[in-house]
Amino acid sequence: MAAPGFRHEDGAGHISGWEERGADWRGFATGGSKTLFRFGRPPSDRICITEAAIDALSLASLEGMRAGTLYASTGGGWSPLTVEAIAAIADGATLVAATDADPQGEVYVDRLREIANNLGSDFVRLRPHLIDWNEDLKEKRGDQDMPHARQTGSRVKLRPPDGGP
């Protein structure tokens, strides 16, 4: 079975890279740029930002593909391009931090809240019941084996915005 690939693209729809995920690994295209994976139809009045594309898809499944919502992923990274891409799609929309329920997720929340404040957009924190949206979806489905949604040991760690450890 081929590993799922999740296309990252700029605002013009040009591919900048892609996330890949297997049963026991995850990665990003060598030489690619993490901008945003997007799922849904823009323009949207609600933008849900997750840390990984699989989380965006799991959240969309849990919500039943909520109308007026664009689900997006940063691919576990953060760059000036990521900030620009989020700002471009979130201007005038409600920005939803749908990140993991862990310290890393809270770093993302702070960064997303700052973007929303700079745009004058509404901001909401949506927290999974378990550690992430994949685990919530597995629980809802009765813990069926979903190899593409298994936790792996390689989580990208972001430094707090102040540059601390």
Side-chain angles (χ1 to χ4, degrees):
M1 178 173 126
F6 304 102
R7 174 184 172 132
H8 278 233
E9 58 185 47
D10 62 20
H14 299 114
I15 190 166
S16 62
W18 61 91
E19 292 177 59
E20 288 188 359
R21 185 173 184 119
D24 298 314
W25 60 273
R26 68 181 75 180
F28 197 84
T30 301
S33 298
K34 291 181 181 181
T35 49
L36 287 177
F37 162 78
R38 303 154 203 244
F39 183 68
R41 287 194 167 63
S44 302
D45 57 7
R46 181 174 178 258
I47 312 297
C48 293
I49 305 292
T50 65
E51 295 172 61
I54 196 72
D55 289 320
L57 296 175
S58 294
L59 177 58
S61 179
L62 287 163
E63 292 188 334
M65 272 300 294
R66 187 169 160 178
T69 297
L70 179 69
Y71 299 90
S73 158
T74 65
W78 202 269
S79 73
L81 289 175
T82 307
V83 174
E84 289 173 22
I86 293 170
I89 62 173
D91 194 17
T94 298
L95 185 57
V96 179
T99 60
D100 294 351
D102 63 12
Q104 183 64 32
E106 294 308 314
V107 171
Y108 270 77
V109 170
D110 291 341
R111 290 179 177 184
L112 292 167
R113 183 181 292 116
E114 182 178 339
I115 292 169
N117 287 340
N118 290 340
L119 293 172
S121 296
D122 290 335
F123 178 81
V124 174
R125 166 61 161 133
L126 187 59
R127 184 186 313 271
H129 171 72
L130 299 171
I131 188 70
D132 65 26
W133 300 109
N134 300 318
E135 294 300 315
D136 282 11
L137 184 59
K138 285 174 19 181
E139 179 182 64
K140 179 181 179 187
R141 291 184 174 177
D143 203 22
Q144 295 174 1
D145 187 32
M146 296 171 39
H148 62 281
R150 287 186 195 139
Q151 290 279 349
T152 64
S154 62
R155 288 272 187 179
V156 174
K157 300 297 180 193
L158 294 177
R159 292 179 185 240
D162 64 5

